[in-house]
Amino acid sequence: MVAIIETEKLTKSYGSHRGIVDVDLVVEQGEVFGFLGPNGAGKTTTIRVLLDLIRPTSGKASVFGIETTVDPVSIHRRIGYLPGEFTLYDRLTGGETLEYFGNLRGGVDTAYQASLIERFDLDPSRKFKEYSKGNKQKVGLVAALQHKPELLVLDEPTAGLDPLVQQTFFAVLREAVDEGRTVFLSSHVLSEAEKACDRVGIIRDGRLVKVDRVDALRDLAAHQVELRFTGPVPAAEFEALPGVSNVTAEDHVLRMHVTGPISPVVKAAARFDLADFVSREPSLEETFLAEYGHDAVEVANHGN
Amino acid sequence: MAIELGRSPIAAPRRHVSAWSRVYGLGSVYAKTLRDSRLAFLIMAGLLGGIMLVAGAAIGTAYATATSRADLVNLATTAAGSMPGVTGKAVNVGTLGGYVTWKYGPLFVIAAALWSILALSGTLATEASKGSLEFVAVAPFGKRRLALEKLAAHLTVLTAVLAILALASWVAGAVFGSVPGDAVPPQAAIGYALWVGLIALASGSVAFALSPSLGRAGAAGIAGFILFAGYLLNNLQVTEPALTGPAYLSWFYWTAGHLPLAGEYDWVSLVPVAVVAVVLFVVGLEAFVRRDIGASSSIRTPRLPRAILGLHGPIGRAFGERFSISLAWGIGLGFFGFGIAAISRSLADSFHTMSPASVKIFHDIFPLFDISTAGGFLQVVFVQLGFIVVGFAAATLVSGWASDETSGRLEMLLATPLARASWAVSGGLGVYLAIVLMTIVFAAGVGIGALMAGSDAVTPMAGSVTLGLYAAAVAGVGIAIGGLFRTSIAAEMAAVAVTVTFLIDMIAPPLRLPDWVHQLALTAHFGQPMVGIWDASGVVACLVIAFGGLALGGWGMRRRDVAR
């Protein structure tokens, strides 16, 4: 696979304040990469270095194989960017704003632009300052998407969007990926990353602590298994199995946590008269909390 | 779930708020507003107190003998008699206080009034537009108290500034006075500061009363218009009797007899100004209490044509963003230039009736040109003030350029194929185009005024270009600093450059400072452009600073991090 984003020992400090430290990251073409972490962990700093809005203190970053500090304009030509917080021209309408950003890129496919405006249910005739928070976010999203960039860099893209528009956004994102584009998405909403991302990287206190596929991360956590027997519960049979922990028995029900392959538990259960078998797959959020502790992330479920 | 009625949820424990933090700090709305006004206090106290001391030092040093004071009186009374609508009354100009009142009096009061307008139009409206007012408004006290505390904080800061001004007046007389009568008694110092403060408050109260309905820009615009219109009407009604009626509405007219530094007092005239201020403050308070927060009905302005919006590129966009404000500056300056040029006719007429000795005085003072022409009159009366005004206009345009970065818009712009240096340079060129527009409109006003005075219009119109060049140089300073360091200080530094230039130009000659000090002032290098006497070095210096600043700004932007 072709690496679209690559960082090597990327460090940025703001005087005595920590920014990011030794971040090594590779994002491959065609994937949706989720960049997760609590507020202040270094997500936005990483993105700003990737876009050459700020310069690394040490280490280096490349996008499309181009070092960010060497030729940022060549990178910008091929990306779409939505900052986490932004403001645009108060006195321009949404439509005029999009036209201007399209012109800065040498023009865009107006039919595609119009389709995005329609799908996001944006009224382009209103002045930017008159928009609600969510509608301003829609303008930012269309500005980032309208030129069909090869790489989308989105910082907290669903902030302020209602659930219906969020659905539209994820559909548009999926279409972009289906067309071979790459997405770098920063978020602290784990359920959102779980839904949209192929791989995630977790940053905490400026350091990248984990990068893996979403399903592999999920496997890190214990499955919660519940076995209901018709007769007495053979607890001792299960406590000795590899990966099994926290075994509790109550009446005819046996509950346990299983880490790793679940087949030994299934085989052991088959030797008894089993009435019911329930295994619940952990969510990314549960995995994250189990792995990194509750204080590692401020989880916002947004109704999921 | 069973709910037990009659019990309140447990409230968070209250932290004791110290008495000091309720006065200054974060303990109350009043204290926070006072804290936020620190910089404004330093600027205004430094500006008003500093100019008073500098002016006192200049007069005391340059006119240190009775003979030189007699010459000064001769000049001032002749000028005042010939240009009554422009220079104001010359009362006791042979004394330090009288001369300061005659020469610099308007500067103090207009500066204080503009500050009051900006502070009182924005104290509620700006917070409402940012959304922070909603947080404060849900605090456990009413909107009336909120507005009162903010108003009280401004009154406190204004009082402190006026105390500095009064002290500086007294010190100037005591330290720099060189002839009998130069001493400024405490009563005069306080009376003068009180007059400055009440005019400032009355002007600010207009903005305060209108801001809940019109928002900051509309309220400040109307209050500023009333301030300048009142000042001009009071001056012009002397030569144009038709303006006497409207001048009755001006607080400058009401208090025209109150000249404490010159030894004339009219305390009663201050009462109606105070009454107007109080009434308008009450109106503003009630308007704020009754209206929805943030629900201002802004003055509708026509949409700009698409061609002016500049959607095709960054230079056009930067110009489009600055178009309205540069047009407003141009129109304001144009009206001023028009009025000065048109009124030159009255001087020309008065020359016919003036004694040969008086005419000779003018010819001796201005040997290179005829002051009775529109150009000559503009050169003498307008140019120095014009440099200050266009300088501050340039600072506001630089502020607009800087807002791309300070507002966070720059991140999105730089994520397009727009390089950092290109942004700085194209944005700067947009600022220069706005200055060109302002200059054209101003020059048109001057030209029309000159034609109405039956004078040559082309020469002063061409001379107006120097003001544009100076504005471009000031903008260049701001853009260079914005690019090299950070844009959040660019406009302030441009304004500092204007103020320092003005002060050097003002004090260096009378204090007989070394010539190189005076040469530091860019405004000392323009010749007399309104009468066609140009100094190429000033033009070249402006162009070098303007385009050098642009280059430095672009270079600096390439090197530093983009701020958030």
Side-chain angles (χ1 to χ4, degrees):
Chain A
M1 290 295 279
V2 178
I4 298 294
I5 296 173
E6 201 165 2
T7 68
E8 197 179 309
K9 299 278 182 204
L10 192 63
T11 299
K12 174 69 184 177
S13 52
Y14 303 96
S16 59
H17 294 284
R18 185 264 309 150
I20 52 173
V21 184
D22 291 341
V23 172
D24 290 319
L25 185 69
V26 176
V27 178
E28 291 171 348
Q29 187 176 24
E31 72 172 333
V32 181
F33 187 90
F35 199 46
L36 309 179
N39 296 335
K43 301 188 295 290
T44 301
T45 296
T46 307
I47 287 176
R48 298 185 84 229
V49 174
L50 291 176
L51 297 176
D52 190 47
L53 296 172
I54 54 178
R55 305 271 159 72
T57 307
S58 62
K60 62 179 184 178
S62 302
V63 180
F64 303 118
I66 304 165
E67 198 168 332
T68 54
T69 54
V70 173
D71 188 3
V73 173
S74 294
I75 296 171
H76 296 166
R77 220 179 292 283
R78 299 160 70 181
I79 66 159
Y81 173 50
L82 176 74
E85 289 174 31
F86 66 93
T87 185
L88 291 167
Y89 300 99
D90 277 348
R91 283 175 288 190
L92 291 189
T93 64
E96 287 164 347
T97 303
L98 294 172
E99 182 182 341
Y100 177 56
F101 276 87
N103 288 338
L104 286 179
R105 294 185 172 282
V108 296
D109 176 355
T110 51
Y112 182 63
Q113 181 194 64
S115 78
L116 287 172
I117 289 171
E118 188 184 342
R119 290 177 72 179
F120 283 118
D121 193 22
L122 175 69
D123 175 1
S125 66
R126 295 184 65 185
K127 284 186 181 176
F128 188 78
K129 68 177 177 186
E130 295 169 353
Y131 282 130
S132 66
K133 186 178 177 181
N135 280 320
K136 285 178 179 172
Q137 189 77 353
K138 291 178 191 175
V139 174
L141 278 171
V142 177
L145 289 159
Q146 63 179 350
H147 53 287
K148 297 189 173 180
E150 292 173 54
L151 169 65
L152 275 162
V153 180
L154 308 171
D155 194 356
E156 314 275 359
T158 55
L161 298 181
D162 67 47
L164 283 177
V165 181
Q166 284 188 26
Q167 278 187 10
T168 304
F169 164 71
F170 285 118
V172 171
L173 209 60
R174 189 45 58 190
E175 289 165 15
V177 174
D178 290 346
E179 290 170 5
R181 307 180 203 290
T182 308
V183 180
F184 187 85
L185 181 152
S186 137
S187 178
H188 61 254
V189 184
L190 295 175
S191 54
E192 180 178 292
E194 187 171 18
K195 192 189 317 179
C197 299
D198 304 309
R199 285 197 310 145
V200 294
I202 295 162
I203 187 166
R204 188 174 62 179
D205 295 334
R207 291 179 184 278
L208 195 63
V209 292
K210 186 81 180 174
V211 178
D212 215 330
R213 298 197 62 78
V214 169
D215 42 15
L217 272 178
R218 206 181 283 136
D219 284 345
L220 281 174
H223 285 225
Q224 292 172 1
V225 176
E226 184 178 295
L227 305 173
R228 184 179 297 278
F229 298 94
T230 54
V233 178
E237 293 284 336
F238 291 87
E239 281 170 349
L241 293 175
V244 172
S245 61
N246 292 6
V247 179
T248 58
E250 186 182 339
D251 296 333
H252 296 265
V253 178
L254 194 64
R255 294 189 181 88
M256 66 196 77
H257 289 175
V258 182
T259 308
I262 202 166
S263 55
V265 175
V266 175
K267 285 174 185 167
R271 295 203 296 272
F272 302 92
D273 197 4
L274 192 63
D276 197 8
F277 182 108
V278 178
S279 173
R280 198 171 67 77
E281 190 179 41
S283 67
L284 183 62
E285 183 180 317
E286 286 166 323
T287 307
F288 194 91
L289 293 176
E291 190 74 7
Y292 302 106
H294 281 75
D295 58 348
V297 65
E298 293 171 16
V299 178
N301 265 323
H302 290 259
N304 292 305
Chain B
M1 191 175 76
I3 300 172
E4 190 178 344
L5 297 175
R7 287 184 61 186
S8 300
I10 298 167
R14 291 190 180 184
R15 193 172 66 88
H16 173 70
V17 180
S18 70
W20 171 246
S21 69
R22 285 181 194 277
V23 175
Y24 182 85
L26 301 173
S28 68
V29 172
Y30 172 83
K32 167 79 165 49
T33 311
L34 212 56
R35 185 174 177 266
D36 292 345
S37 305
R38 284 173 299 185
L39 183 61
F41 167 75
L42 289 174
I43 291 172
M44 290 309 297
L47 190 69
L48 300 190
I51 290 178
M52 179 60 80
L53 288 173
V54 165
I59 296 160
T61 312
Y63 302 99
T65 63
T67 313
S68 60
R69 288 298 172 95
D71 290 342
L72 187 65
V73 171
N74 201 7
L75 166 67
T77 48
T78 305
S82 312
M83 303 177 271
V86 176
T87 61
K89 276 199 297 183
V91 178
N92 290 333
V93 284
T95 64
L96 186 147
Y99 190 75
V100 165
T101 303
W102 181 68
K103 186 82 190 285
Y104 303 112
L107 190 66
F108 291 102
V109 76
I110 286 177
L114 282 176
W115 169 47
S116 218
I117 287 170
L118 290 175
L120 291 173
S121 63
T123 189
L124 294 168
T126 305
E127 277 207 51
S129 66
K130 284 193 296 188
S132 54
L133 192 60
E134 300 208 3
F135 283 99
V136 184
V138 296
F141 47 80
K143 285 165 72 180
R144 186 174 282 107
R145 184 176 138 189
L146 163 64
L148 262 175
E149 289 198 28
K150 281 188 163 281
L151 186 56
H154 177 69
L155 288 175
T156 306
V157 182
L158 179 64
T159 304
V161 168
L162 295 176
I164 300 281
L165 176 62
L167 184 66
S169 309
W170 177 77
V171 169
V175 175
F176 304 117
S178 50
V179 301
D182 272 359
V184 176
Q187 181 194 16
I190 293 168
Y192 182 67
L194 191 62
W195 174 71
V196 169
L198 283 173
I199 296 285
L201 274 184
S203 305
S205 68
V206 176
F208 187 77
L210 294 175
S211 65
S213 310
L214 300 179
R216 180 176 196 175
I222 291 174
F225 175 79
I226 289 173
L227 170 70
F228 283 106
Y231 172 71
L232 289 174
L233 281 172
N234 178 51
N235 278 0
L236 297 177
Q237 55 88 24
V238 178
T239 50
E240 299 294 334
L243 297 176
T244 307
Y248 284 145
L249 298 172
S250 162
W251 28 78
F252 289 100
Y253 183 81
W254 303 345
T255 58
H258 186 70
L259 304 165
L261 294 183
E264 287 192 357
Y265 299 91
D266 183 3
W267 297 103
V268 177
S269 70
L270 301 181
V271 174
V273 184
V275 169
V276 165
V278 170
V279 168
L280 289 176
F281 281 138
V282 171
V283 168
L285 272 173
E286 289 308 311
F288 175 67
V289 170
R290 289 162 194 241
R291 285 188 71 89
D292 296 343
I293 282 185
S296 62
S297 48
S298 58
I299 299 170
R300 289 276 166 198
T301 48
R303 288 276 294 152
L304 292 177
R306 276 181 61 82
I308 293 173
L309 289 177
L311 300 178
H312 292 286
I315 296 177
R317 187 78 280 276
F319 174 62
E321 278 293 291
R322 316 280 97 77
F323 181 86
S324 301
I325 191 167
S326 60
L327 191 63
W329 277 112
I331 290 172
L333 271 164
F335 267 117
F336 204 16
F338 164 79
I340 300 291
I343 211 171
S344 67
R345 176 154 203 139
S346 68
L347 179 66
D349 292 342
S350 72
F351 264 40
H352 296 302
T353 57
M354 209 182 280
S355 70
S358 297
V359 173
K360 184 176 180 303
I361 288 176
F362 276 105
H363 286 156
D364 288 347
I365 299 170
F366 308 110
L368 298 177
F369 57 88
D370 180 1
I371 192 179
S372 67
T373 61
F377 200 55
L378 282 161
Q379 183 63 47
V380 172
V381 174
F382 178 75
V383 167
Q384 192 180 31
L385 179 64
F387 278 131
I388 298 173
V389 176
V390 296
F392 284 118
T396 64
L397 295 171
V398 168
S399 171
W401 166 80
S403 72
D404 270 358
E405 186 174 15
T406 54
S407 71
R409 195 161 50 219
L410 187 56
E411 288 209 11
M412 286 194 74
L413 290 169
L414 292 185
T416 68
L418 179 67
R420 291 154 175 249
S422 299
W423 167 79
V425 171
S426 53
L429 288 173
V431 168
Y432 293 165
L433 284 176
I435 289 171
V436 169
L437 172 68
M438 177 181 76
T439 308
I440 288 171
V441 175
F442 161 66
V446 165
I448 295 168
L451 288 174
M452 285 185 67
S455 199
D456 166 34
V458 175
T459 305
M461 285 178 77
S464 303
V465 171
T466 52
L467 275 82
L469 286 168
Y470 177 68
V474 169
V477 170
I479 291 166
I481 289 171
L484 286 169
F485 304 105
R486 51 196 168 104
T487 49
S488 57
I489 58 167
E492 284 86 343
M493 290 299 108
V496 166
V498 175
T499 308
V500 170
T501 300
F502 166 70
L503 288 175
I504 292 174
D505 207 7
M506 185 178 87
I507 64 168
L511 291 183
R512 296 188 178 87
L513 296 176
D515 189 51
W516 65 265
V517 175
H518 191 209
Q519 299 301 315
L520 290 175
L522 190 55
T523 46
H525 298 276
F526 287 114
Q528 284 93 34
M530 291 296 182
V531 292
I533 303 170
W534 287 68
D535 182 346
S537 63
V539 174
V540 172
C542 284
L543 291 172
V544 168
I545 294 172
F547 287 99
L550 207 57
L552 272 177
W555 180 72
M557 274 305 294
R558 290 180 59 181
R559 296 166 56 84
R560 68 171 175 86
D561 288 348
V562 174
R564 295 197 81 203

